Amino acid sequence: MDFNIIYAYLVDLIISKMDLANLLGLIGGIFYVASVTLRTMIPLRIAAIISNILFMGYGVLAKALPTFFMYAVLLPINCVRLYQIQQLVKRVKVASQGDLDMEWLKPFMTKRNFKAGDTLFHKGDVANAMYYTVTGKFLVKEFNIVLPPGRVMGELGFLSPDNKRTATVECLEDGQVLFIIYDKVRELYFQDPDFGFYFLKLTSERLLQNIAQLEDELESCKARVRELEAAQA
């Protein structure tokens, strides 16, 4: 059988069946394939929403109740997921512009309680999670820094090459923290390029703040040394 004959037959078949219902189904299928192949979450959800709407139209016109029902259920799910990831990116963007509050991560975190004297992690431990203090006080032993509620700890282990803790943190008084494992952070990181960019900017800004604090403490130590030397002289 000649290829041209087969091609002409397929074209005639498609044209003969191409009513409005099948046209909506065809376009919906194209957007569905696009939603499967896209790598970033926001374009994926948008393509899925368009596909859902088109398949719902196909279900109505073709009187295919199961098709209409399935995509009518998927549509609000995709809309909610799209809204959530957009809000997440928006909150990280705000945080990266100066507000280092980590409220935007709370919906993805898990609660954990600690008693006074408990150790959250030791310096040199393998790091697998970052923490957000809700209540209580926590001491970073190596730097003698007390962390009040509303502070993040353990986020730098996510970026370090060996994923090791850089300090030991102990609980000074009973408190609650929220934590998120690094695998979940990686998942959020790769879901959207904007999230990844703003998260890196956020952690870099926090690292620079820590460096500035250490430099201030070093200058204070140098000043005390000069005072002692002057007193001895």
Side-chain angles (χ1 to χ4, degrees), residues 88 91-92 101-111 130-135 149-152 176-180 184 188 195:
L88 180 62
R91 289 167 186 167
V92 180
D101 186 10
M102 303 291 274
E103 291 284 334
W104 48 272
L105 264 183
K106 280 187 176 182
F108 303 92
M109 305 180 86
T110 305
K111 293 180 181 179
M130 57 186 289
Y131 299 84
Y132 179 90
T133 60
V134 179
T135 60
R151 294 293 298 275
V152 175
Q176 184 183 84
V177 302
L178 299 175
F179 75 93
I180 180 172
K184 184 62 179 179
L188 296 172
F195 176 89

Side-chain angles (χ1 to χ4, degrees), residues 201-219:
K201 185 176 179 182
L202 180 69
T203 52
S204 299
E205 204 167 314
R206 188 175 298 280
L207 180 60
L208 291 174
Q209 287 185 356
N210 292 343
I211 293 173
Q213 183 176 2
L214 291 175
E215 289 177 344
D216 290 341
E217 293 178 0
L218 180 60
E219 288 299 324

Side-chain angles (χ1 to χ4, degrees), residues 21-33 47 50-51 54-55:
N22 286 326
L23 179 62
L24 292 177
L26 177 62
I27 300 174
I30 293 172
F31 276 97
Y32 174 78
V33 172
I50 295 173
S51 174
L54 291 171
F55 274 123

Side-chain angles (χ1 to χ4, degrees), residues 30-225:
I30 293 172
F31 276 97
Y32 174 78
V33 172
S35 70
V36 173
T37 56
L38 289 170
R39 295 184 178 182
T40 53
M41 191 57 62
I42 291 181
L44 185 154
R45 292 295 179 185
I46 293 174
I49 289 171
I50 295 173
S51 174
N52 294 160
I53 295 172
L54 291 171
F55 274 123
M56 287 173 61
Y58 166 79
V60 171
L61 295 176
K63 299 180 180 179
L65 182 59
T67 299
F68 174 81
F69 177 78
M70 181 176 68
Y71 289 100
V73 172
L74 289 175
L75 179 61
I77 294 175
N78 281 310
C79 289
V80 169
R81 295 304 186 196
L82 176 62
Y83 174 78
Q84 288 177 336
I85 192 65
Q86 286 178 327
Q87 290 301 305
L88 180 62
V89 172
K90 180 179 178 181
R91 289 167 186 167
V92 180
K93 182 177 181 179
V94 171
S96 70
Q97 293 173 343
D99 179 11
L100 294 182
D101 186 10
M102 303 291 274
E103 291 284 334
W104 48 272
L105 264 183
K106 280 187 176 182
F108 303 92
M109 305 180 86
T110 305
K111 293 180 181 179
R112 186 174 178 183
N113 296 317
F114 287 94
K115 298 291 185 179
D118 289 346
T119 300
L120 278 72
F121 47 81
H122 294 89
K123 182 178 180 179
D125 286 350
V126 176
N128 61 356
M130 57 186 289
Y131 299 84
Y132 179 90
T133 60
V134 179
T135 60
K137 293 182 180 180
F138 301 85
L139 173 67
V140 184
K141 294 185 65 176
E142 283 75 11
F143 303 103
N144 197 31
I145 297 175
V146 176
L147 301 177
R151 294 293 298 275
V152 175
M153 50 189 174
E155 78 280 8
L156 296 180
F158 175 70
L159 299 176
S160 65
D162 54 1
N163 290 126
K164 294 292 183 67
R165 297 295 185 192
T166 58
T168 300
V169 175
E170 291 184 352
C171 182
L172 295 180
E173 61 182 39
D174 294 357
Q176 184 183 84
V177 302
L178 299 175
F179 75 93
I180 180 172
I181 61 175
Y182 290 156
D183 286 342
K184 184 62 179 179
V185 176
R186 292 186 185 94
E187 179 183 334
L188 296 172
Y189 179 91
F190 286 109
Q191 278 184 357
D192 190 272
D194 288 339
F195 176 89
F197 171 78
Y198 291 125
F199 183 82
L200 284 176
K201 185 176 179 182
L202 180 69
T203 52
S204 299
E205 204 167 314
R206 188 175 298 280
L207 180 60
L208 291 174
Q209 287 185 356
N210 292 343
I211 293 173
Q213 183 176 2
L214 291 175
E215 289 177 344
D216 290 341
E217 293 178 0
L218 180 60
E219 288 299 324
S220 297
C221 291
K222 289 180 177 179
R224 287 196 294 268
V225 170

